[in-house]
Amino acid sequence: MARERILKGIAVSNGIAQGTVFIYETKKVEVFQTPILTVYLKDETERFEKAVEKTKQDLLNIQKRINQEIGGNFAQFLDAQIMMLNDKEIIDAVKRRIIEEKKNAEYVYHKVINEYATRLGESKDQYFKERVADIWDVGSRVLRNLLGLTHSSIVDIPKNSIVVAHDISPSDAALLNPTNVLGIATEAGGRTSHTAITARALEIPAVLGIKGLMGKIANGENVIIDGDRGILIKNPSAGRLHSYRLAKKKDQELEKVLSPYCELPAKTRDGRHIDVSANIEFFSEYTHARRYGAEGIGLFRTEFLYLTRRGSPSEEEQFRVYNALAQKMKPHPVIIRTYDLGGDKVFPDYHEPNPFLGWRAIRVSLDEIDFFKMQLRAILRASVNRNVKIMFPMISTYEEIKRINLIFNEVKNELRAEKIDFDEEIQFGIMMETPSAAIMSPHLAQQVDFFSIGSNDLTQYTLGVDRGNEKISQLFDHFHPAVLHLIKTIVDSGHQSHIWVGLCGELAADPLAIPLLIGFGIDELSMNPASIPRAKMVIRSITIPACEEIAQGALGFRTALEVKRYLRRTIHKKFPGIEKVIK
């Protein structure tokens, strides 16, 4: 029997899947050099132009189909490919070189695209490297149209497949059928690649960035994809299969138990309602939020509008997305966070030694006023639905809030002058994710309508631990007493100024943390949609006085381990019914 082997990659979409490997390889288009007589050169350039036009129409048809099947503007990322087909530099270069070199269109186009992709591939910027797939995807389509070949599709992959590929082009990723595709593993790609975004949207477990994957695996092999841990297990042993089957069966049984909670309010046993909302990255995820019983969108991460387009969308394009989301979620609230670019969400062609401490989020917006104002105008216009709130990320100083307020009021005045309607009472909140903001929270609370604690960055900055660095990942712990003291400080400061306080990091979805956070007085918890039924189950099992007692006790410990042991012990004693959802 073949030996079990574990291949490590990047966890980009949660869940566990076991299935049969389907190697997805698009056959490389072979291009040959053919001399063209001078008299036919004009016909050759026209043949190239027709192939480009046909490719545009093909992509528009795919985009229409995806939007119909998945909804909203999910296929807007194909705009980037359509834009490449309109790239004057490439088009003119191909036409000029057909004439100068007197060679066939496919040969010249392949050379030009290859040069362009090579330049991008040599970039130090991971985002640009990930866009090479866009170039070859669209280039391959043009070449096939020039040669009269059909374009292979990922649609017909057999049932129970784990798709394994070097990379999956954006247009093919969007055609993945979740009924047949149980999991995805690729050599290329990262958390911001189109494949990752699509996998999360379709709730397909995925592990990307597995080095040398294609040389280590074969069609028909049995594998497990663990999208929680970021591993692919090749030829799993009988013991491993058994343990994963048990884990999956347990998860499925738990899902059945939790399913009714989607429809129930998030109310404690003694009657206090906690707002439970969803964190989403792009528009189409609102369907998951509603399906799992979210009472609003607690965090809409708008930077993906930017990243999927390789540039800033226009005010009108942004408005359409924000407005559609607000309408779909009515009457529930939608909190739109302004761009949190930088850090792990990089700008194309921009590098700095320590991006998490550098030019990111609100620091970018306050330096790029026109860019910032465009987004504020779009959000304010969408606020006409009367359920939109606005939130600003990475606040670290009081002066930043004063500057934001000035610009925000300028934009409101501009809209009033243009007689454009918006919600004059729109709530204005900030992310609390730096220690300086937590310490200064009594002063910041007087300037805003709400706080939303970003527990991931707050933990990272408080402990001085890069959460993406595997060598020190064991030091990253939300339950560290220093982090808990800052969360309590933020909640108390907010309430003293009569504003509500939410938490939208991973901690919000942790059943071990929920009684603690509610004991601190948190008003809203926002999490990935699939975690909502579990959170509601926990909330409906607890009482406020018991949570307050738990929270008070937790603040007396010196280490994260002591805190977690205390929470497990105390929750077991006070709320035995929720033990089954605590991992």
Side-chain angles (χ1 to χ4, degrees):
M1 184 177 172
R3 189 167 61 89
E4 177 181 283
R5 190 169 180 190
I6 294 177
L7 306 177
K8 203 166 182 186
I10 302 165
V12 302
S13 183
N14 293 339
I16 294 167
Q18 184 206 335
T20 306
V21 169
F22 179 92
I23 303 276
Y24 179 66
E25 279 184 300
T26 49
K27 196 173 178 184
K28 201 170 177 182
V29 181
E30 288 191 82
V31 174
F32 299 98
Q33 181 184 158
T34 306
I36 304 293
L37 294 173
T38 304
V39 69
Y40 295 120
L41 287 175
K42 188 169 180 297
D43 292 343
E44 194 65 6
T45 58
E46 286 175 357
R47 191 168 72 85
F48 168 66
E49 287 172 336
K50 282 179 186 171
V52 170
E53 283 305 314
K54 182 172 187 322
T55 307
K56 267 188 225 172
Q57 194 54 55
D58 292 344
L59 289 175
L60 286 169
N61 290 339
I62 292 173
Q63 192 173 47
K64 186 177 174 186
R65 175 184 161 187
I66 295 168
N67 283 338
Q68 283 173 345
E69 290 180 358
I70 301 181
N73 293 314
F74 180 72
Q76 65 185 10
F77 66 88
L78 286 175
D79 288 347
Q81 293 199 0
I82 294 167
M83 280 172 62
M84 286 175 200
L85 291 170
N86 291 326
D87 190 316
K88 200 166 182 311
E89 186 182 334
I90 293 176
I91 300 290
D92 289 349
V94 174
K95 286 162 67 176
R96 187 186 71 249
R97 285 167 67 169
I98 288 173
I99 303 291
E100 289 173 355
E101 298 176 22
K102 296 184 171 55
K103 297 289 187 322
N104 53 320
E106 45 270 50
Y107 172 75
V108 173
Y109 180 69
H110 185 269
K111 273 210 310 183
V112 170
I113 288 294
N114 189 44
E115 290 163 8
Y116 194 62
T118 302
R119 284 205 302 273
L120 280 183
E122 288 171 349
S123 168
K124 292 178 182 174
D125 190 311
Q126 185 60 27
Y127 177 78
F128 264 169
K129 286 184 177 179
E130 289 174 4
R131 298 289 81 75
V132 170
D134 283 300
I135 300 293
W136 279 118
D137 188 25
V138 76
S140 172
R141 286 182 180 278
V142 173
L143 288 172
R144 284 179 179 277
N145 282 330
L146 276 167
L147 294 165
L149 302 172
T150 56
H151 195 85
S152 59
S153 168
I154 205 163
V155 176
D156 301 324
I157 283 179
K159 272 186 173 291
N160 302 323
S161 290
I162 303 289
V163 176
V164 173
H166 167 71
D167 199 2
I168 299 175
S169 70
S171 56
D172 280 345
L175 293 173
L176 285 166
N177 179 353
T179 306
N180 291 5
V181 178
L182 302 180
I184 301 169
T186 66
E187 280 183 333
R191 283 197 62 80
T192 64
S193 65
H194 293 300
T195 305
I197 293 169
T198 305
R200 287 196 289 274
L202 298 177
E203 299 184 350
I204 300 174
V207 179
L208 309 188
I210 303 175
K211 288 182 183 170
L213 174 64
M214 298 300 279
K216 298 172 183 170
I217 208 154
N219 250 327
E221 283 187 311
N222 184 27
V223 297
I224 292 172
I225 291 282
D226 186 337
D228 301 324
R229 296 165 64 199
I231 57 173
L232 178 151
I233 305 168
K234 179 181 163 179
N235 302 318
S237 65
R240 181 89 60 185
L241 282 170
H242 182 65
S243 91
Y244 267 99
R245 278 180 194 137
L246 285 181
K248 189 154 187 179
K249 188 179 174 190
K250 199 173 166 186
D251 285 348
Q252 287 169 340
E253 287 170 353
L254 187 56
E255 273 179 32
K256 283 184 188 170
V257 171
L258 294 176
S259 179
Y261 288 92
C262 297
E263 306 296 328
L264 296 174
K267 194 179 279 188
T268 62
R269 274 166 41 203
D270 48 352
R272 183 180 164 198
H273 184 265
I274 307 294
D275 290 329
V276 176
S277 306
N279 299 338
I280 63 171
E281 293 183 355
F282 53 99
F283 173 79
S284 63
E285 286 179 282
Y286 84 87
T287 55
H288 302 304
R290 296 207 75 126
R291 175 154 57 90
Y292 287 112
E295 296 163 329
I297 301 298
L299 171 62
F300 180 41
R301 298 183 176 98
T302 57
E303 49 276 9
F304 281 88
L305 292 175
Y306 184 99
L307 293 172
T308 55
R309 286 168 182 272
R310 303 195 307 154
S312 179
S314 68
E315 176 189 323
E316 192 59 30
E317 288 168 327
Q318 292 183 65
F319 164 71
R320 284 202 297 268
V321 175
Y322 306 151
N323 188 53
L325 183 60
Q327 289 180 348
K328 293 289 185 186
M329 287 306 296
K330 270 185 175 180
H332 301 300
V334 173
I335 299 178
I336 301 176
R337 183 179 71 182
T338 57
Y339 288 130
D340 186 13
L341 292 161
D344 56 349
K345 298 174 279 288
V346 296
F347 276 111
D349 211 20
Y350 177 75
H351 310 281
E352 57 183 352
N354 199 339
F356 275 107
L357 295 180
W359 197 54
R360 63 168 288 199
I362 198 64
R363 298 169 183 176
V364 175
S365 296
L366 291 175
D367 282 352
E368 302 289 338
I369 300 296
D370 291 342
F371 170 81
F372 189 32
K373 277 186 161 183
M374 185 191 295
Q375 188 176 29
L376 295 180
R377 282 178 63 93
I379 295 171
L380 279 168
R381 286 173 59 197
S383 75
V384 74
N385 293 285
R386 303 301 190 262
N387 62 338
V388 170
K389 303 176 186 183
I390 189 166
M391 182 161 72
F392 301 93
M394 187 66 183
I395 300 297
S396 56
T397 70
Y398 186 81
E399 292 89 336
E400 284 167 343
I401 296 184
K402 299 295 281 182
R403 283 195 65 201
I404 293 167
N405 252 319
L406 279 173
I407 297 165
F408 198 42
N409 285 328
E410 276 180 26
V411 173
K412 284 181 178 177
N413 286 334
E414 288 169 10
L415 291 176
R416 288 188 192 107
E418 295 170 39
K419 300 192 183 308
I420 295 175
D421 193 16
F422 64 91
D423 182 3
E424 295 279 357
E425 305 298 322
I426 183 172
Q427 286 196 9
F428 171 112
I430 56 173
M431 294 278 296
M432 300 296 283
E433 49 194 343
T434 64
S436 64
I439 293 165
M440 295 300 291
S441 55
H443 300 285
L444 304 184
Q446 294 172 25
Q447 299 295 321
V448 300
D449 297 311
F450 66 91
F451 285 155
S452 184
I453 300 168
S455 59
N456 299 341
D457 274 344
L458 183 62
T459 302
Q460 171 173 250
Y461 292 131
T462 302
L463 303 182
V465 175
D466 178 352
R467 58 191 164 108
N469 187 335
E470 289 179 4
K471 289 184 180 174
I472 53 172
S473 60
Q474 77 281 1
L475 298 175
F476 184 89
D477 199 321
H478 291 118
F479 291 94
H480 191 287
V483 178
L484 300 184
H485 277 279
L486 288 182
I487 291 174
K488 180 73 167 71
T489 298
I490 295 166
V491 174
D492 288 347
S493 299
H495 289 174
Q496 281 160 17
S497 291
H498 310 292
I499 65 171
W500 64 269
V501 182
L503 190 144
C504 61
E506 288 177 19
L507 194 61
D510 188 335
L512 194 62
I514 291 172
L516 175 65
L517 295 170
I518 291 176
F520 285 160
I522 209 87
D523 303 293
E524 183 236 21
L525 295 168
S526 190
M527 60 199 72
N528 69 77
S531 298
I532 289 173
R534 187 187 308 255
K536 284 187 175 181
M537 185 265 192
V538 172
I539 291 167
R540 291 180 63 85
S541 304
I542 60 181
T543 60
I544 297 298
C547 290
E548 289 173 345
E549 190 183 328
I550 289 171
Q552 186 60 37
L555 292 175
F557 293 99
R558 297 163 300 180
T559 71
L561 184 61
E562 288 175 352
V563 171
K564 285 186 278 193
R565 281 178 177 162
Y566 161 76
L567 289 173
R568 285 200 172 89
R569 192 172 59 244
T570 315
I571 287 171
H572 169 71
K573 189 175 169 187
K574 291 184 180 295
F575 314 121
I578 63 175
E579 269 188 318
K580 58 189 167 195
V581 297
I582 295 177
K583 289 187 177 177

